[in-house]
Structures are given as C-alpha cells and as structure tokens.
Amino acid sequence: MMLKHKRHARGWPLVRSALLLSVAAAPWAAVVHAAPSSSAPVIESGAGASSDTEAAGDDEARVQRRLQFNDALDALASGNQARFDALRVALADYPLASYLDYEQLQRQWREVVPGGTEIDQLNDFEQRTGDSSLTRRLTRVLQKRFADTEQWKTFLALGKSRLASTMNCETLKALRETGQLDGFDERIIELWVQPRTHREPCKSILRDIEARHTPPVPAIWERIYQSMESNKPEYAEAMLQYLGSRDRNLVRGWIDAAESPQSFLLSGKLDRDTQLNRRIIADLLLDWSRKDTRAAIGQWLRIRERFGFSADRHYDTSRALAMRAAYRRMPEAHQWLQTFTARADDLELQEWRIRTALLAEDWQAVINSIAQLPLEEQEEDHWAYWQARALEQTGRESDARTIYSELAGLQSYHGFLAADRLQLDYSIRDEPIVPDADLLRQLADESALVRAREFHHVGLTSESRREWNNWVRGRSESELAAAAVLGSRWGLHDRAIYAAGLSNHRRAISLRFPLLYRSEVARASMDNAIDPAWIFGVMRRESAYIRDVRSSAGAIGLMQLMPRTARYVAGLQGKKNWRGDLTESGTNIEFGTFYLRHVMDRFNDHQVLATASYNAGPSRVGQWLQEGSMDADIWIDTIPFTETRRYVRAVLAYAAIYEHQLNGRPQRLSSKLLPVPAASGV
C-alpha cells in the first residue's frame, strides 16, 4: 500500500517560517529572556542562526531608505505635499516607489471629480509599473469615484476593463440611468430571488422594478424555495400576494410551521402528492430533525414511498437526515448509514459511514466501509491507520503490523500513532532545503520578491504577503524551495513556510516549524503550567506565525483569539475594561495560553478535549461526549466538525515535532491520548 498525506486548503495561507534553526537540545528554561520592550515581534532562532537583520543583508543605506519610505507615507497622510515630493524623488529607484505613486493617486482621486485626466493617470501607472495588482485596486477606486459622481457612461466603459470590479449594484443603477434596464431581466432576477437585504442602490432598483412589473412565476417560486431553505421565511412571506388561494394557504402554513414543523406535517394538509407538498415535506422534516432527529427520520421512513419524490430530492433528504444523526453521534446513525446506498461521488457520506462504525466499534464494518472508498482515498494515512486498527481488533495482527510499519515512516499524526502501536521512534528528521546557489542569487534579485521583502520591513505585512503570493503561482518546485530559504533569510517567516509547503519539502523542519517568540512562549508556559510545545503547536496551526492576521470570523493574531474571548480572559485575570492590542505578540500569547489553561481545567487536564475546545469552544466539546468513555483516537477522528477534527490532529502532531525541536525526543502521543470520559465525568 502506497500511503500519503492529504493536504487541506484553508481560508488564508497556511504558513510562517523562521531562520534556519539547529535542533535545540537544551532544557526549555534556558530560553527564557527578558521581556521585549516594543510591540515589534521579537524572533529568537536556534543556536548558530543569523539575526534577522544580518540574514536580510541589510546595510545602513537600505535601512535609511526604509525610513524615508515611511516618512513619505507620513507626509502624504498629513498633507505635506512638498515633503512627499522631495522624498519621492530621493526614492526613485527604491523597489516600493510605485506604491508611493499608488497611495498618492488613490488619495487624490477621492478628493476630485474624476475625468479623462484620471483615466490617463491610471493607464500611465499600469504601463509604467506593470503591477496588475495595484492597477486593479486603482481601477476600483476610480470606478467608485465615477459612480459617486454619477458619471454613468464612463463608469460602464471603465467596467469593461479586465481589472475592473463587477460592482453589481452600481452597474444596475448605471444601466437604469442610461436607459438600458427595464423589467425583470436575468440580472435583476438573479438578485431579486436571493433572500437577503441588498445594499443601495440595488435595494431601491429592485423595489422600483417590482412596483412596476410583476415578477415571472418561476422567479417567485425560486425566491420562496430559497427563502425557506435558508430559514429566512420573511422573504417568502412577501411572495404570498402573488399566489393563488390554495398555494397561498400552503405556503402560509409552511412559514408558520417554523417553530413546530411536526404539527403541519401530521395535519393531513400535505397528503396530496404535488410538487409543492413534496418541497414542503422535505424542508419541514429537516427542520423537525433539528429538534427531534429520531422522530423526523421515523416520519420520513413512513411516508417517503407514498410521494413521487425525484431521485435527487429522495437522496438529498435521506442523506441530510442520516448525516444529522451521524453528526449528533446517535447510535442509530451507524445502521442508517450502513443501509443507505451512497452515490459514488458522495465521499463525505462514505467517510461518515466509517466514522459511525468506529463509534459503534463495529470493526468489520470499518474494514468493509474503507474498502468501498475510492482507491486513492484508501491510501490516505488516516484511513490506512483505521484499517490497521480494525484488522488488529478482528484478530489479524500480522496484517495490521504491516500497515502500521509503513505508516510509522510518515511524519504525521497517524504516522505517530502507528509508531506508538509498534513502540517505534517517530519518523521526525530535519532535511534542510539546499537550493541551487545560482537560482538563489537569481531570486534574490526578483523584483516581486524584493518588494515582498521591503514591504515586510517597512511594516506593510499584508502587502508583503500579496506580492509573495502573486509570485509563487505556477512556480516550479525548485523555485519554491529556493524562495522558502530566501524568505527565511529575509525574515519573511510566514511566506517561507508557505513556499516550503508548496514545494513539498515536508521534512524541512527547522524552516517549516520554527521556534519563534521563544521568550513569550517560555513565560506563558511557566505562568500557566502548559507544555511549551503545545503552545507552539497551537500557534503554528492557528496563524502559522502571522502576527497581524485576522480571520473572516474576527479572530486576531498568533493564537487567533476572538476579541470577546480576550475580554473574557482579561476579566478572569482581573483586568476590567481591557482594550489591549491582540496583534501584539506578548499579549496574544499570554491570553491564548491562559485560555488553554482555562479549558484544561474545565476538562480535568485532558489535553485532547482542551485542544478541541480551543477551536470549537468547550460547550460544543461537551456536547460531543458520549454516555460512556471511549478511546481518544476514535473520539478525535469522529469529531463532527471537519475543521476541529483536522485541527486537533494537526496540533498534536505539531506539538510532537516541536518537542523534537526543543528536547530532541517527543513524548508519545499515546501518553496524551487519555480515554475520553463520559459526559457525566466532566
């Protein structure tokens, strides 16, 4: 069996790196240093590594030009045009000179009524700089200014540019104002059926069109269906005026049944086998299953053959009900999924068939269900591990040991678990990237990478990541590997890990798993009696060391703390009305580690449950506990949330790698994977 790791995408780039490190063998206490005096990240590398400034090859002239660049931005912000102009001349050959032009143009355009001059400036900027990313942003600034000043013909003309934004609402208004919009065309229908409050000017345009034109019947029903399936019945209610009395009464009942779906389902009003009744039944059964999954499934099994559900509707409803039972770890889910015929492309359902078999400890069903996966999925290390576990449990120890032995050669969570089953050492070793020297010199002069370096050192880290990410697209493995080394030397730690990961150098440990912020971690570790490797593992998974990162959900910084969680932690620490900065490394690590200790205490020092709680919250983790205890590896791989399941596995594996970095030998994961207690035991 050829085993392999599986990569999973995330909403933002995964990675941050460090200077090339030696494996630290000294006791952890030896790395405690004085607290940093500023909010800038203090990055401490292993023995023998160059400092950040030395690694970047910074001379006094380069540092001076960075100071001049920031002075120019300050002059622009304060309106000191003469000072800005003088600095811009002095920085004519500086790699970030075009960014100064970008900042100046977008500020100017917000203060004037734009016209041909501004379009000429935009074209000149693109031709002179060749920077499509900044040109795209300038194009969108100019689009907005033409919309703000109601120059609709010019707005539409600019919108045809390959770099323009769609700006749907402004485009609709421009079409209306230029006489090109009338009635419910495809563009209007696409927006109108969506169950949401549109922003202006879409909102007023849709309201005006609906007042003057009757919506097409298919659009009316599409809006009703989308509204009800999105649990936004208020948007369906507005459609009642367009329906005949029979349909109106049924949709009215559908809307009113939101709080008590079973009453309407059992009332007899839906007994006729019509398309509308079938839609209502399927939707309300799913609503009912949120409160009483068993009863909803029972009703579905009783009535599903009485109605002419389409094959897709029948499959989707059966699947949704069975999967809800699986997510809730209901014992019946195992039987329901085993008897459910999964479509060949429905990988999620096939995987949950295995997970429910694990929860039931039906080991033969585990073997059979894994065998039904596509061959490439069977080769993934997590399913290979569970195949071996199932073989072991069914008395086929020799076959299990063969799989464990192959898995144990992997540097992964399941590889480490397999090594534990055989009492083998973990396959953790540092294989530094050694790029071609000529290629490294060539990339050191690559304009996009140089800009990424300079953006980083002038404090514009998001711009640095933009430049780097644009450059890496479509690069060869050797180029990515060399860029990873270069980024590490330059201090672009997150981009270095990103490039190393893309280049598939999984064993470049000191580059992919750097020991950054050692002082802060050491202090937080001792203050909260938390294993430092665990803190590093959480940071590496949460932010990949991007100090200022903000998630789409609002989490901030190295350990990805939500502001409300930070305020909660501050309150527990006696800091009333805390208003600190979570992008400051010391604060973020202090608060994040304190919260780790808090959830550890909540779950009686159970590291697995605490790790899951850090990601999903302790209340949810409490809901995932069963009536009886279970093996931790089963509990982890049956966590209902995919993100949390991957998160726990990654943090535990990362912590083992960091223990190897710190101590030369990690603790066995099996020593941390204590049996997960019953719900009554926590």
Side-chain angles (χ1 to χ4, degrees):
M1 176 182 289
M2 180 65 70
L3 302 177
K4 59 185 178 181
H5 295 288
K6 188 168 188 175
R7 297 184 179 185
H8 300 291
R10 297 190 68 182
W12 33 267
L14 288 179
V15 288
R16 194 175 231 270
S17 178
L19 311 174
L20 292 174
L21 300 173
S22 302
V23 174
W28 178 252
V31 305
V32 179
H33 302 287
S37 59
S38 72
S39 60
V42 176
I43 300 171
E44 301 155 359
S45 63
S50 301
S51 72
D52 193 30
T53 300
E54 291 169 341
D58 293 334
D59 56 22
E60 185 176 345
R62 183 179 291 167
V63 172
Q64 182 62 31
R65 289 163 76 74
R66 291 169 183 164
L67 293 173
Q68 288 179 313
F69 175 85
N70 281 321
D71 284 347
L73 289 180
D74 289 342
L76 194 61
S78 64
N80 190 341
Q81 190 64 42
R83 174 67 174 160
F84 173 82
D85 290 342
L87 288 167
R88 175 63 183 85
V89 170
L91 293 167
D93 59 348
Y94 183 54
L96 304 186
S98 61
Y99 186 81
L100 294 176
D101 296 338
Y102 158 79
E103 280 289 327
Q104 182 179 36
L105 287 173
Q106 58 105 3
R107 286 173 183 272
Q108 286 178 353
W109 294 351
R110 290 191 174 102
E111 303 298 327
V112 301
V113 176
T117 298
E118 285 67 34
I119 291 178
D120 289 343
Q121 289 174 334
L122 176 64
N123 290 330
D124 174 71
F125 181 88
E126 180 179 24
Q127 293 169 9
R128 180 167 44 82
T129 68
D131 191 324
S132 59
S133 180
L134 289 181
T135 304
R136 179 179 292 107
R137 288 149 72 178
L138 281 175
T139 301
R140 294 174 181 185
V141 170
L142 202 51
Q143 280 182 279
K144 186 176 186 306
R145 290 300 298 140
F146 281 123
D148 291 343
T149 56
E150 299 189 341
Q151 299 182 67
W152 298 118
K153 289 184 179 180
T154 310
F155 171 84
L156 290 172
L158 185 58
K160 296 176 182 178
S161 164
R162 63 183 177 82
L163 299 178
S165 172
T166 53
M167 298 183 71
N168 287 329
C169 290
E170 289 78 5
T171 299
L172 285 181
K173 186 171 183 179
L175 292 171
R176 184 179 67 176
E177 296 300 322
T178 56
Q180 302 177 60
L181 185 67
D182 183 46
F184 279 90
D185 64 13
E186 290 183 6
R187 289 168 296 196
I188 292 295
I189 290 174
E190 183 180 358
L191 291 171
W192 184 81
V193 298
Q194 297 172 10
R196 64 185 181 90
T197 301
H198 297 278
R199 64 180 181 86
E200 294 292 351
C202 277
K203 185 177 180 180
S204 61
I205 292 172
L206 293 174
R207 187 168 52 241
D208 179 60
I209 288 176
E210 189 175 357
R212 294 187 291 110
H213 303 273
T214 300
V217 171
I220 293 170
W221 284 110
E222 182 62 23
R223 178 162 169 173
I224 291 172
Y225 294 148
Q226 285 197 27
S227 300
M228 298 307 294
E229 290 174 2
S230 301
N231 293 314
K232 296 179 179 179
E234 63 274 17
Y235 292 97
E237 191 163 11
M239 298 297 98
L240 294 176
Q241 61 180 311
Y242 298 116
L243 304 180
S245 59
R246 179 188 291 274
D247 288 345
R248 187 186 312 121
N249 290 336
L250 285 171
V251 175
R252 176 80 266 173
W254 187 6
I255 292 170
D256 293 341
E259 293 301 317
S260 183
Q262 64 272 29
S263 298
F264 193 45
L265 280 168
L266 302 176
S267 68
K269 296 178 181 178
L270 301 171
D271 286 350
R272 293 178 65 238
D273 187 11
T274 66
Q275 180 182 0
L276 176 57
N277 284 356
R278 293 192 292 271
R279 290 293 294 258
I280 295 173
I281 289 169
D283 182 72
L284 290 183
L285 279 170
L286 296 182
D287 286 345
W288 190 3
S289 72
R290 292 187 179 95
K291 296 182 179 179
D292 192 338
T293 306
R294 288 185 180 87
I297 291 178
Q299 177 67 6
W300 172 244
L301 295 176
R302 284 189 291 273
I303 61 111
R304 60 184 178 178
E305 303 305 330
R306 286 172 39 202
F307 292 83
F309 290 101
S310 68
D312 286 345
R313 182 72 58 187
H314 192 285
Y315 184 90
D316 291 345
T317 305
S318 297
R319 180 192 190 281
L321 292 168
M323 290 294 285
R324 177 154 288 156
Y327 295 149
R328 293 184 172 184
R329 294 170 174 254
M330 292 172 56
E332 300 92 334
H334 174 46
Q335 178 185 353
W336 289 332
L337 285 176
Q338 289 298 322
T339 58
F340 188 84
T341 303
R343 289 176 174 168
D345 62 348
D346 194 345
L347 182 60
E348 183 185 22
L349 189 142
Q350 295 177 57
E351 291 181 336
W352 271 100
R353 180 181 286 157
I354 303 169
R355 294 188 184 104
T356 56
L358 287 173
L359 285 169
E361 298 192 35
D362 184 344
W363 296 107
Q364 189 57 50
V366 170
I367 293 171
N368 295 341
S369 297
I370 290 174
Q372 294 177 43
L373 292 173
L375 286 177
E376 63 179 14
E377 290 297 324
Q378 295 180 40
E379 294 171 356
E380 299 293 349
D381 56 354
H382 52 289
W383 296 131
Y385 172 80
W386 286 113
Q387 183 182 11
R389 280 274 270 131
L391 290 169
E392 186 178 26
Q393 292 292 326
T394 53
R396 285 165 277 186
E397 288 87 355
S398 177
D399 292 338
R401 289 181 65 86
T402 298
I403 298 175
Y404 284 144
S405 180
E406 188 173 354
L407 272 174
L410 298 179
Q411 183 180 283
S412 72
Y413 167 77
H414 290 97
F416 298 160
L417 291 186
D420 282 352
R421 306 298 289 191
L422 301 179
Q423 292 297 300
L424 297 175
D425 289 340
Y426 289 175
S427 181
I428 302 175
R429 60 182 181 273
D430 192 10
E431 297 177 357
I433 298 172
V434 183
D436 177 79
D438 290 338
L439 177 59
L440 198 63
R441 283 191 292 270
Q442 175 188 332
L443 295 188
D445 293 328
E446 185 83 28
S447 58
L449 297 183
V450 170
R451 288 194 298 270
R453 180 195 68 199
E454 292 306 300
F455 274 128
H456 173 80
H457 285 288
V458 298
L460 295 173
T461 54
S462 62
E463 298 292 343
S464 173
R465 291 192 288 271
R466 173 185 64 83
E467 287 281 2
W468 190 277
N469 294 348
N470 287 341
W471 181 86
V472 300
R473 295 191 185 101
R475 298 291 171 174
S476 68
E477 184 170 319
S478 60
E479 288 176 313
L480 292 167
V485 172
L486 194 62
S488 178
R489 292 181 181 178
W490 283 350
L492 280 67
H493 306 294
D494 56 298
R495 297 307 88 198
I497 299 180
Y498 184 33
L502 291 175
S503 72
N504 205 31
H505 281 75
R506 299 183 62 86
R507 293 190 182 275
I509 290 176
S510 51
L511 195 153
R512 294 186 62 234
F513 296 94
L515 293 163
L516 308 182
Y517 305 102
R518 292 175 67 157
S519 299
E520 294 94 326
V521 170
R523 187 178 306 106
S525 167
M526 291 188 293
D527 288 348
N528 295 283
I530 291 288
D531 178 5
W534 187 25
I535 303 172
F536 279 120
V538 170
M539 269 199 294
R540 175 62 170 77
R541 176 64 180 188
E542 287 286 357
S543 69
Y545 296 113
I546 304 176
R547 183 176 58 88
D548 59 346
V549 70
R550 296 174 184 264
S551 75
S552 59
I556 300 172
L558 292 169
M559 298 186 74
Q560 284 292 275
L561 286 165
M562 295 293 289
R564 64 175 179 273
T565 303
R567 290 191 293 270
Y568 175 67
V569 167
L572 292 176
Q573 293 180 336
K575 301 172 183 176
K576 296 182 179 180
N577 302 317
W578 179 82
R579 293 292 185 272
D581 180 8
L582 286 176
T583 65
E584 196 278 315
S585 58
T587 298
N588 199 284
I589 293 171
E590 175 196 349
F591 277 29
T593 306
F594 185 95
Y595 189 69
L596 276 177
R597 179 73 262 169
H598 176 70
V599 290
M600 275 283 276
D601 293 341
R602 165 70 174 78
F603 289 104
N604 301 323
D605 281 350
H606 200 295
Q607 188 170 346
V608 168
L609 298 182
T611 302
S613 296
Y614 195 90
N615 178 262
S619 296
R620 284 200 182 97
V621 170
Q623 294 169 9
W624 297 337
L625 301 179
Q626 303 285 87
E627 292 182 0
S629 64
M630 71 170 65
D631 291 345
D633 59 347
I634 294 178
W635 188 88
I636 290 169
D637 274 4
T638 57
I639 290 174
F641 288 3
T642 301
E643 163 59 24
T644 305
R645 188 167 61 249
R646 294 173 180 169
Y647 178 90
V648 173
R649 296 190 305 213
V651 168
L652 292 172
Y654 292 175
I657 292 171
Y658 278 113
E659 286 174 356
H660 179 88
Q661 291 270 63
L662 293 165
N663 307 316
R665 187 179 183 87
Q667 299 178 49
R668 291 200 174 274
L669 288 191
S670 55
S671 68
K672 302 175 183 179
L673 268 60
L674 305 176
V676 173
S680 59
V682 296

